[in-house]
Amino acid sequence: MNKPRELGFKPLLTLPTSQDVSTRRILDLDEIEGTDLALVGGKAFRLAQVRKYGLSVPPGLVLTTEFFKAQITAAKLTPLWAGSPDIAVTAEALNWLADALKLKPLAGELSAELENRLQLAFSPDINSFAVRSSVIDEDHRDHSFAGMHLTELGVPRSALPIAITRCWASALSGPTVKYRQVHGLSIQGIRVALIIQPLLSSEISGVAFTVNPLTGARDEIIIEATWGLGNSLVAGQIQPYYYKIAAQPPDYPIIEQHIGTVTPVSTKETSETTQPLTIPQIADLARQLEQIQALMGEPQDIEWAYQDHQFFILQTRPAAVVTPTQPTSNLEWTHHGYAQYLPPLPSPLFGALLDAIQPQVIRFLTKLGLNVEHLPPLEKFILGRPYLNLTLIKAVMAQVGVTSGSLLHLLGDTKAAVGPTFTIDWTTAWAARSIYRAIWLQTRRLTDTLTDIQKAVNGAISDLDSPQTGPSSDRLLAQLRQQSQCYGQIKAAQLTLTLGRIILTGLGARLLPASTPTPITTLTTAATHGTDLAQERLHHRLVELGQWVHSQSVGETSNHTLNHPKNCLQSEEFNQKFKALLTQYGHHATYDIDPGQPRYLEAPDALLALIVAQAQNDPGQYPTEAKRATELSQLPLWRRWLLQPILAHLRNLLIKQDQLHENLVNFMTAVRQWHLTLGQTWSDAGWLETPDDIFWLTLEEIERTLRVEDGMAVKLSSTIQVRKETYDIYAQTSTPFVIKDTEVPTIQLGHGNAAGPTVGTDVFIGLPISPGQARGVVVVVRHPDEFNQIADNVILVMPSTDPAWLALLSSAAGLIVETGGLLSHGSVIAREYGLPAVANIPQATQRFQTGDTVLVDGSTGVIQLLEPSRSPSTTH
């Protein structure tokens, strides 16, 4: 990178080789090395890093801790500073030492060395300096020492020794020592370094945070600015101009701004502007701020100045962010609903994407009038697995007056009591009517919202189409940020649909018989009856093609038994049908919303395996429309009549949910292609072994690489290798389906976890996904290829309900699943078959054994172990 202009400062010269540099008492910023943190302190070390990467930092000399120690030694004050067997270091002793340092001149050798370095570093016409502290343990996130150590501005060259001793003394004086004691820091042997830089004649100065310090939102940048020097601003003596900036390169739009109370000093400036920074200046500064954050690897608190059309960085340190107040009870998390869309361990890239949208999600819920700001996030990853904030969901239910154990079961709370009703407390609902109104207005606007999302998705797909054309880093960063922004819009719409369904279910439940165990299942099944949902079309196409393969394969044999359909799969007619299927659904994957998962166009064998699985079933076993029964047919006519508008609205929401999911699939496919293209570029550069390795990185790591390209090959390779090893451990670790924050540290990595929603040794409670009861013998199936071992009328126990397992359901009398949701493919098909089914039974394939006799109640989610298997070894 090109070095910035030095504003006429004398270039820093290389020291003569004859000088003894072993003590390294004085260094210029460009001499600081990667191992010098303990020698120069965090402030000087970070400025050296920023300067090294070509950002504008005024040149400077660092009086290292060795220089400070040499002065202590020359003045014979070491016992007061470091202690001895006979003298303890106390606050009083340090105060005395501070006063002594201010009275004693610099040792002759040190004074001569300082004068020599000043002459080498700065031209004689520079006679105004800034002296700042760089104490070894200051500027940390949890102990910043902000404003504690003295900064001397406008110091003449002749007065530098006095300013140096005054700054040293401030690090040893009463307030600073007390701050150390309060924060549990040692007061023995305090090591102080100082930075000496020419004082800028700043036209504008200010402070900036690369994260919102009040909310923690990492998609916002906060800038405060004033005219002239910034010492009054950092001291809190003036009201600065305030800018809240969206972290969206390259434009960095202003979200909010407030004018300050200080007017420009220069009359010509006053005539041209009424605020310190113009929009182009804000974008230029924001770009540099984000680059510094990328260099440091975490949000930063940065002091800056503007002079001669150039921004200069004066200081950067980790940003101190207010941590939101947490509730007194532990947050409770559930793994509900992810198995139908995500693999057991989604890619780290998707995890970072989900994490990035959480501020948007909380802002959306707050906009509806819900009080959830103290309970974020809605979703997070625990040991590589996605979890939903059950505590937040319960808080939302309480605020809108919804009471339902069955709803909590839908959301994954297998510990909740399943009541016979789904009710709304109308007193609470009336008090929360503004929330209901906001939710209902959002649902009414869904058509327009989905249209806007469709446009945003199409725009994103077009925009993300070709990073290989050589756009600038800013352009790539804008595309990267766009991914989380668009996903956040989709997530907000999904929440609107979910809240709308909850309200409609509450209304519809009042018309159902009191004995209806799961109104959610009943009403959702009725609303989807006869509805052509896109999420089911692929399954139906697979069934159709599987039936065709079955019929062709049976025809190849004389005894009408099914052989492996090898010849059929190689036929031209099948190839045409399969190509048409890929053309229509090739952008899908077994786990659609994780961009780290290959699409069917990339891995057609996965789709082919689903067809082969479907071909193993007799076509007569598939349910027809006539077999689809509804529990509502037994209701009195007047109740069915009243339910019709509720079901119509619910059906409309489900159709919109289906459309939204298709938008999400298209968008994530574009996101995958964008990252693969970038991964190919980095692979060609030797930074990644394969393009797919990019999915092992987080958004922040990708952003940092885009901003700081030098030397990333080793860093990326080592990061990915460590993360792969970590995920191997996660894969061997069983986590509870429902878990509290305090329980996470108790999980033993690499070991199974027996925690689960058991009520007793022989009773299990899960999520009811298909009503009815079934008694039978268990067959545990851990892989779809085991379908040949399944007899008719058994209780299947499976890991999930993703499409690979659907071909097994026609032979079963009941179903027990480790993970899955009410609207997963398997749940829909189970209801079509009239197959009693319960999901969300953690480690079900380990808890049950082939040969167990169980009773499955798909209406309440209760499973009873009636008789254990007599031969445990028969478990598959």
Side-chain angles (χ1 to χ4, degrees):
M1 296 185 181
N2 295 326
K3 286 288 184 183
R5 293 179 291 108
E6 297 292 7
L7 301 177
F9 300 146
K10 186 177 180 180
L12 296 172
L13 303 179
T14 304
L15 290 176
T17 56
S18 59
Q19 179 176 344
D20 179 13
V21 295
S22 61
T23 57
R24 308 189 73 203
R25 293 189 295 212
I26 302 179
L27 300 173
D28 67 51
L29 288 174
D30 293 333
E31 292 175 324
I32 294 174
E33 301 173 353
T35 57
D36 286 339
L37 178 60
L39 188 67
V40 301
K43 186 179 299 180
F45 186 79
R46 284 187 288 271
L47 283 179
Q49 285 185 294
V50 172
R51 185 176 168 88
K52 174 184 176 183
Y53 281 98
L55 293 173
S56 302
V57 175
L61 292 177
V62 180
L63 308 187
T64 69
T65 55
E66 289 297 323
F67 191 94
F68 172 68
K69 183 178 178 181
Q71 175 68 6
I72 294 282
T73 302
K76 298 185 170 70
L77 297 171
T78 303
L80 293 175
W81 171 64
S84 71
D86 301 321
I87 302 177
V89 176
T90 64
E92 292 76 12
L94 290 178
N95 271 319
W96 193 93
L97 175 59
D99 292 336
L101 283 174
K102 288 187 287 186
L103 294 175
K104 288 185 176 292
L106 289 178
E109 180 184 355
L110 298 179
S111 180
E113 184 178 351
L114 174 63
E115 182 61 29
N116 181 48
R117 291 304 302 268
L118 287 171
Q119 291 178 6
L120 291 172
F122 308 116
S123 59
D125 59 327
I126 297 195
N127 196 40
S128 183
F129 293 88
V131 182
R132 295 181 174 90
S133 69
S134 184
V135 181
I136 300 308
D137 46 9
E138 75 172 322
D139 287 348
H140 287 239
R141 190 181 300 104
D142 52 352
H143 47 272
S144 66
F145 286 88
M148 288 282 181
H149 300 126
L150 181 65
T151 293
E152 294 275 14
L153 301 178
V155 181
R157 189 182 294 246
S158 61
L160 279 174
I162 298 174
I164 289 168
T165 57
R166 283 167 51 84
C167 289
W168 280 341
S170 72
L172 307 172
S173 61
T176 310
V177 172
K178 184 175 181 180
Y179 182 90
R180 285 179 168 277
Q181 292 173 323
V182 169
H183 286 77
L185 302 174
S186 173
I187 65 172
Q188 181 174 354
I190 298 171
R191 294 175 294 167
V192 186
L194 299 177
I195 308 171
I196 301 174
Q197 294 172 295
L199 182 67
L200 297 177
S201 299
S202 306
E203 302 159 24
I204 308 166
S205 300
V207 178
F209 277 71
T210 61
V211 61
N212 190 319
L214 297 181
T215 66
R218 300 187 68 163
D219 56 355
E220 296 174 355
I221 298 172
I222 306 299
I223 298 174
E224 291 183 344
T226 188
W227 281 275
L229 297 178
N231 53 318
S232 298
L233 188 155
V234 297
Q237 298 171 353
I238 63 169
Q239 180 65 40
Y241 281 73
Y242 171 92
Y243 306 90
K244 180 191 289 186
I245 311 299
Q248 298 174 13
D251 299 328
Y252 296 97
I254 298 174
I255 302 172
E256 180 183 347
Q257 61 179 319
H258 305 293
I259 62 173
T261 57
V262 179
T263 57
V265 176
S266 169
T267 56
K268 75 171 183 178
E269 290 288 341
T270 306
S271 65
E272 296 175 358
T273 182
T274 57
Q275 54 182 313
L277 295 173
T278 65
I279 291 177
Q281 286 174 331
I282 289 172
D284 184 19
L285 177 58
R287 189 177 301 109
Q288 294 191 44
L289 297 175
E290 289 210 299
Q291 189 164 4
I292 293 170
Q293 175 177 271
L295 287 169
M296 300 302 146
E298 59 182 333
Q300 294 291 295
D301 169 3
I302 299 166
E303 294 181 20
W304 54 269
Y306 185 79
Q307 177 179 325
D308 295 339
H309 309 290
Q310 186 175 6
F311 283 102
F312 287 88
I313 305 304
L314 306 180
Q315 174 177 310
T316 181
R317 62 187 176 200
V321 180
V322 174
T323 303
T325 303
Q326 295 295 327
T328 54
S329 58
N330 291 325
L331 292 182
E332 193 172 20
W333 303 87
T334 172
H335 190 53
H336 161 74
Y338 294 104
Q340 55 186 316
Y341 301 124
L342 292 172
L345 290 173
S347 67
L349 179 66
F350 175 77
L353 194 59
L354 189 69
D355 182 64
I357 69 170
Q358 294 310 304
Q360 290 176 259
V361 170
I362 297 301
R363 284 198 296 268
F364 171 75
L365 294 175
T366 303
K367 183 179 178 181
L368 295 178
L370 294 163
N371 181 21
V372 295
E373 290 182 320
H374 62 296
L375 295 171
L378 176 65
E379 298 170 283
K380 74 173 183 179
F381 274 68
I382 299 176
L383 301 183
R385 295 171 174 85
Y387 275 79
L388 179 69
N389 189 335
L390 196 55
T391 302
L392 187 149
I393 298 300
K394 290 178 179 179
V396 170
M397 290 173 58
Q399 290 176 41
V400 299
V402 170
T403 303
S404 173
S406 59
L407 176 60
L408 291 177
H409 270 264
L410 171 66
L411 299 171
D413 185 6
T414 54
K415 298 178 182 178
V418 182
T421 58
F422 185 114
T423 63
I424 294 178
D425 181 343
W426 295 106
T427 301
T428 303
W430 176 254
R433 59 190 180 278
S434 62
I435 298 176
Y436 278 91
R437 187 184 304 113
I439 294 172
W440 192 245
L441 286 174
Q442 289 289 335
T443 59
R444 292 289 299 272
R445 296 171 185 157
L446 271 173
T447 300
D448 292 337
T449 301
L450 290 180
T451 300
D452 292 341
I453 288 176
Q454 180 67 61
K455 291 179 180 177
V457 168
N458 291 340
I461 290 173
S462 175
D463 201 34
L464 301 177
D465 191 38
S466 56
Q468 77 272 17
T469 56
S472 65
S473 294
D474 281 342
R475 184 61 178 158
L476 290 172
L477 286 167
Q479 293 174 336
L480 187 66
R481 301 279 177 82
Q482 187 182 27
Q483 296 169 23
S484 58
Q485 293 161 14
C486 191
Y487 186 33
Q489 286 181 274
I490 295 173
K491 179 64 74 170
Q494 289 176 327
L495 289 173
T496 299
L497 288 163
T498 300
L499 292 170
R501 286 176 53 205
I502 290 173
I503 293 174
L504 290 171
T505 301
L507 295 172
R510 301 190 71 193
L511 299 171
L512 298 178
S515 59
T516 303
T518 53
I520 298 171
T521 304
T522 301
L523 293 173
T524 300
T525 302
T528 56
H529 180 68
T531 303
D532 183 24
L533 298 178
Q535 293 184 61
E536 295 185 34
R537 288 182 206 139
L538 173 58
H539 169 66
H540 292 153
R541 287 289 304 277
L542 290 173
V543 170
E544 292 172 3
L545 194 50
Q547 290 177 354
W548 182 85
V549 171
H550 181 96
S551 64
Q552 298 297 310
S553 301
V554 169
E556 295 172 2
T557 63
S558 58
N559 57 0
H560 299 283
T561 60
L562 180 66
N563 288 342
H564 191 279
K566 179 179 179 181
N567 295 333
C568 177
L569 296 179
Q570 294 176 347
S571 70
E572 181 61 29
E573 186 175 359
F574 175 80
N575 286 336
Q576 292 179 357
K577 292 177 180 291
F578 187 68
K579 185 179 296 184
L581 187 67
L582 273 179
T583 300
Q584 186 173 2
Y585 295 104
H587 63 289
H588 281 261
T590 302
Y591 301 109
D592 286 321
I593 69 172
D594 184 355
Q597 292 291 306
R599 312 290 113 166
Y600 289 138
L601 270 176
E602 303 171 61
D605 286 349
L607 192 60
L608 187 63
L610 296 178
I611 296 172
V612 172
Q614 296 291 346
Q616 307 300 323
N617 286 326
D618 187 333
Q621 294 177 326
Y622 289 101
T624 64
E625 283 292 323
K627 294 180 182 180
R628 296 187 181 186
T630 172
E631 298 178 33
L632 305 185
S633 60
Q634 306 302 318
L635 288 176
L637 183 60
W638 68 272
R639 291 199 179 199
R640 279 184 280 162
W641 181 78
L642 290 175
L643 270 176
Q644 289 310 306
I646 296 176
L647 291 177
H649 283 299
L650 184 57
R651 183 178 301 110
N652 183 46
L653 293 185
L654 290 170
I655 290 172
K656 285 181 167 56
Q657 179 176 287
D658 193 58
Q659 296 169 351
L660 187 64
H661 179 75
E662 190 64 18
N663 282 332
L664 179 58
V665 171
N666 291 332
F667 174 65
M668 286 301 182
T669 300
V671 169
R672 173 173 174 79
Q673 292 307 313
W674 187 90
H675 283 280
L676 281 175
T677 304
L678 185 62
Q680 183 65 60
T681 301
W682 289 359
S683 177
D684 292 342
W687 298 355
L688 302 176
E689 289 188 11
T690 66
D692 282 276
D693 275 349
I694 198 169
F695 298 109
W696 287 95
L697 299 173
T698 66
L699 293 177
E700 188 171 316
E701 289 162 349
I702 293 172
E703 178 175 330
R704 188 178 184 190
T705 305
L706 288 172
R707 288 198 176 277
V708 188
E709 297 181 346
D710 295 343
M712 292 306 300
V714 174
K715 295 179 183 178
L716 290 184
S717 298
S718 60
T719 297
I720 291 170
Q721 182 59 36
V722 169
R723 190 158 289 146
K724 286 181 177 180
E725 293 172 358
T726 302
Y727 269 61
D728 285 341
I729 296 174
Y730 288 165
Q732 301 169 30
T733 305
S734 296
T735 57
F737 194 77
V738 176
I739 189 170
K740 292 184 178 180
D741 282 331
T742 55
E743 296 172 346
V744 174
T746 66
I747 297 175
Q748 296 185 17
L749 294 178
H751 295 81
N753 192 301
T758 57
V759 174
T761 305
D762 301 326
V763 179
F764 304 82
I765 295 181
L767 170 67
I769 58 175
S770 181
Q773 286 190 348
R775 173 175 175 151
V777 177
V778 163
V779 173
V780 177
V781 186
R782 296 193 174 92
H783 192 276
D785 291 344
E786 298 176 9
F787 67 90
N788 287 326
Q789 305 174 23
I790 297 175
D792 291 338
N793 300 319
V794 297
I795 305 297
L796 284 181
V797 179
M798 306 189 307
S800 70
T801 57
D802 69 61
W805 300 88
L806 300 185
L808 309 182
L809 302 187
S810 61
S811 300
L815 179 63
I816 301 171
V817 190
E818 289 184 342
T819 57
L822 184 64
L823 294 182
S824 66
H825 297 122
S827 302
V828 172
I829 300 305
R831 292 192 292 271
E832 290 181 356
Y833 284 122
L835 189 67
V838 177
N840 295 354
I841 302 293
Q843 294 88 47
T845 56
Q846 300 174 31
R847 296 181 178 193
F848 295 101
Q849 298 179 340
T850 297
D852 289 345
T853 301
V854 299
L855 176 65
V856 177
D857 191 331
S859 300
T860 63
V862 175
I863 303 169
Q864 298 181 53
L865 177 60
L866 303 177
E867 184 179 349
S869 169
R870 296 181 181 179
S871 177
S873 62
T874 60
T875 301
H876 290 287

